[in-house]
Amino acid sequence: MKQSLRTKLDQLSARLAELDALLASEDATRDLERYRAWSRERAELAPVVARYGEFGKAEADLATAAELARDPQMRDFADEERHATEARLATLEGELQAMLLPRDPDDERNVFLEIRAGTGGDESALFAADLFRMYARYAERQRWKVEVVSESSSDLGGYREIIARIVGSGVYARLKFESGGHRVQRVPQTEAQGRIHTSACTVAILPEADPVADIEINPADLRIDTFRASGAGGQHINKTDSAVRITHLPTGLVVECQDDRSQHRNRAQAMSVLASRLVDRDRRERAQKEAAQRKSLIGSGDRSERIRTYNFPQGRVTDHRINLTLYRIDAIMDGDLDELIAALAQEFQAEQLATLSGEA
């Protein structure tokens, strides 16, 4: 193990001992907020320090095996023990490195899912609807809640654009690699000759931002318009100016929300979407600067970047970032995304580990 990793683990072990002393002190519960913070920190550190303890024990076992090897009668047994312990040390070191990887502070956040039809006209809009159903079915499997914020329907029943809020545990951690260009190859319903067409949609996964805590938005930078909602929704929704359109003047970003009957709730939802887009804009600008120094295996997440192809005639889905092809398109379109998402997360972790090893 590199000395820098060992030093970090020694520091965490010392901190855990310090936390144990603080939590056991008589006045530990006088400040409940501080007590809870200590408890949370201890819960995060304890598994790492326990694994480091296993690593230390394995090192001691390796030293014992080396001592035994000096005895000619014990040499064969000692060699077997040494090989087994060296393998165990390698496994433990890998696990410890993974446990030390920096966590994405947004992983536990809810997200805004934005799907927009691209090239392909009506077929692209139908594919946008298919993608939304895919993510909604996946959310259902995870017991997440899906709330449609706004939608723009096409003539054939697809979506030119749909924005939904997905609420649940670890939503962003699971879906954050889905941003980018999604391409479909299939015979459209409107194709009389049976020819395969290629269409595309863009998907954006934005961690839900707090308009107050995460970003400061100057009210003078906003133009807020109210208007009568369009489309289905009953008599009330079409008779009041409940729909809200917010324009962020410095960036030109425009957000509309009209799915709720309450103008107040539509305005709050639109502000949340706007804040999330502004935070995402800043994050992507920083990522582009970092990408100039280090290329991520998962890609930049740029919405113009083609990340995945859904080929219906061949029954396959290919993720181009990790060269993974799965021949189970029906299950995937029905929301069975676990294999894809796990593979992307594993590749991302491998890239983080390579970076950690290089810096250590």
Side-chain angles (χ1 to χ4, degrees), residues 170-189:
V171 180
Y172 185 68
R174 300 277 188 91
L175 295 181
K176 61 184 174 182
F177 300 124
E178 293 300 300
S179 291
H182 293 242
R183 185 177 68 170
V184 63
Q185 295 173 325
R186 65 183 177 187
V187 179
Q189 298 176 8

Side-chain angles (χ1 to χ4, degrees), residues 9 50 65 67 119 164-165 192-193 235 322 328 338 340 347:
L9 289 163
E67 286 291 326
T119 55
R165 178 172 178 253
Q193 303 298 320
Q235 296 180 349
I322 55 176
R328 40 196 300 272
D338 285 332
L340 269 172
E347 195 77 12

